Amino acid sequence: MTVPYAQQLQAKVADCQHLLSGFDSLKFLPAQASSEQGFRNKAKMVISGTTAQPTIGILDADGHGIDLRNCGVIAPALRSLFPVIENFIKELKLVPYSVPQRKGELKHVILTLSDTGSVMVRWVLRTKKHFVALRDSLPQFLEQLPRHSVVSVNFLPEHKAVLEGEEEIILTRRTTLEFGLNGVPMHLRPQGFFQTNTEIAAALYRQARQWIDDIDPESVWDLYSGVGGFALHCAGEGRAVYGIETSTEAVAAAKTSADSLGLGDTHFVAQDATEFALNAGWAPDAVIVNPPRRGISAELATWLNGSDIQHVIYSSCDAKSLARDLERMENYTPQLARVMDMFPQTDHYEVIVKLERKAS
């Protein structure tokens, strides 16, 4: 964070160019810069300390709380809610969970901010001991939140280093947090994934849409589609689009968005991306992949390489796994790449690459 932002961005581009230096055909477009601070739309805060003096932040190596409510990368609108969270912890006598002692109730509060100004607040509890108090306080809590916000309670009974458990109860009538990126409505459910930098996510989807529109394919698969960002942006008249994602929550949210846009030929399926591709029995004109840090599976890379798909767009948050996957897809020529600075003040970044099948 002490490095000037222009140098940070330059270093990320240099790192990406180095990792992808084995592809002589690859041309880098100008990097997409981010806001330097206040860009993070999600705050995953550990609650520790005491009911009278809670800390909202992270844990040190000994399991004790470090307060991070003034962290500069968190969006100001989220930081403004931390006093509200603290007051409710005190008023409802919520007992923060102690990791060293393995006792207490309130483990985390997870906040997400939409570009519409609404928020999602998720209370993560060890048991249902405080559930009734949180449920009954909902009217007062909502009065202090922006309009159209979503509030839920998640239960994480196990003592392990994860943020949330499987069971979630939504307290509000509204069950999804709506975003409006580039005029495309997108819905996030409590256990769904959304990019943490809304500004760069919007730019990323615009870049993919531009490349897809330039290609103008009749059919597109969006593999690892999440809540449908790429699929929804690339949908169009006379174009069949399929989004494939393992999370049923994300698929349900994507379907809500597609229905609201009246996209009759845009489909979302809850299935493993590799499994879907290998068993579909047909191949589209273009594929978008946006895998987790580990990249796509060796099986999927091999299948893509041996298919007759003409274009692949690969959005990666780890250029090392990207380079490995591109090596496996030797029948494609990487043409264009663009570093998207999703994570300022860190060494991480997103990069999106356009590939075209080599002439046989």
Side-chain angles (χ1 to χ4, degrees):
M1 295 178 78
T2 59
V3 177
Y5 181 66
Q7 281 182 237
Q8 290 186 36
L9 193 58
Q10 186 177 12
K12 293 181 184 188
V13 172
D15 181 69
C16 191
Q17 289 176 334
H18 170 70
L19 290 170
L20 302 182
S21 60
F23 305 98
D24 296 336
S25 58
L26 191 56
K27 175 186 176 184
F28 276 78
L29 300 175
Q32 177 65 57
S34 169
S35 299
E36 296 180 42
Q37 58 186 16
F39 56 83
R40 192 175 170 86
N41 62 26
K42 191 169 189 177
K44 301 178 282 191
M45 312 303 278
V46 179
I47 309 299
S48 54
T50 65
T51 300
Q53 287 188 306
T55 61
I56 302 175
I58 59 172
L59 299 179
D60 65 16
D62 297 320
H64 300 115
I66 299 173
D67 205 287
L68 282 183
R69 66 184 83 185
N70 291 318
C71 177
V73 302
I74 298 173
L78 291 184
R79 294 205 301 269
S80 71
L81 293 178
F82 292 141
V84 176
I85 299 295
E86 181 179 15
N87 288 339
F88 269 80
I89 291 173
K90 293 177 178 177
E91 289 176 14
L92 301 181
K93 296 181 170 52
L94 307 181
V95 180
Y97 182 73
S98 169
V99 170
Q101 297 176 350
R102 299 196 175 196
K103 62 182 201 178
E105 294 295 323
L106 177 59
K107 291 188 170 184
H108 310 121
V109 173
I110 304 173
L111 307 173
T112 306
L113 174 69
S114 164
D115 58 342
T116 67
S118 301
V119 296
M120 180 183 289
V121 180
R122 303 173 63 208
W123 301 90
V124 182
L125 304 177
R126 183 175 68 90
T127 72
K128 290 186 167 65
K129 180 178 179 180
H130 290 322
F131 174 71
V132 173
L134 282 168
R135 183 193 64 193
D136 292 350
S137 71
L138 182 65
Q140 293 81 15
F141 191 48
L142 285 175
E143 285 179 3
Q144 300 186 56
L145 300 182
R147 289 186 63 200
H148 306 314
S149 291
V150 180
V151 181
S152 69
V153 179
N154 180 279
F155 299 99
L156 178 58
E158 301 90 355
H159 178 85
K160 58 183 181 181
V162 295
L163 277 173
E164 60 192 43
E166 292 182 8
E167 184 181 1
E168 185 118 15
I169 299 176
I170 300 176
L171 301 180
T172 47
R173 288 186 181 180
R174 188 175 292 271
T175 59
T176 65
L177 183 67
E178 184 172 344
F179 289 75
L181 273 68
N182 307 312
V184 176
M186 296 171 62
H187 293 264
L188 177 68
R189 288 175 178 258
Q191 291 182 303
F193 168 80
F194 196 85
Q195 299 282 11
T196 56
N197 187 327
T198 307
E199 173 191 13
I200 299 301
L204 182 68
Y205 296 143
R206 287 196 303 270
Q207 182 64 74
R209 179 169 61 188
Q210 179 190 324
W211 285 347
I212 287 292
D213 286 347
D214 289 345
I215 299 164
D216 196 22
E218 292 185 3
S219 54
V220 178
W221 288 355
D222 175 9
L223 304 181
Y224 312 91
S225 58
V227 295
F230 288 109
L232 294 166
H233 276 77
C234 295
E237 190 72 30
R239 182 179 296 160
V241 177
Y242 289 78
I244 312 303
E245 165 62 44
T246 56
S247 167
T248 55
E249 290 288 305
V251 166
K255 287 180 176 178
T256 300
S257 299
D259 290 344
S260 71
L261 288 167
L263 298 173
D265 208 2
T266 299
H267 316 271
F268 292 94
V269 180
Q271 192 175 347
D272 174 76
T274 300
E275 183 182 305
F276 174 85
L278 269 58
N279 295 298
W282 67 284
D285 299 320
V287 167
I288 301 168
V289 294
N290 182 31
R293 292 188 62 79
R294 63 179 178 272
I296 65 176
S297 67
E299 293 86 356
L300 180 56
T302 300
W303 181 85
L304 286 167
N305 195 51
S307 73
D308 59 0
I309 295 166
Q310 292 303 301
H311 296 92
V312 174
I313 293 175
Y314 193 135
S315 180
S316 169
C317 58
D318 186 346
K320 291 180 181 177
S321 60
L322 168 65
R324 178 206 65 207
D325 292 342
L326 295 185
E327 289 283 359
R328 290 170 172 167
M329 297 162 61
E330 60 186 16
N331 290 336
Y332 287 93
T333 300
Q335 295 178 313
L336 297 172
R338 190 175 189 189
V339 169
M340 318 292 285
D341 194 12
M342 192 74 72
F343 315 102
Q345 316 302 342
T346 76
D347 291 333
H348 301 291
Y349 54 87
E350 194 97 5
V351 56
I352 185 168
V353 180
K354 179 185 177 187
L355 300 97
E356 183 174 6
R357 178 164 290 279
K358 294 175 181 176
S360 55

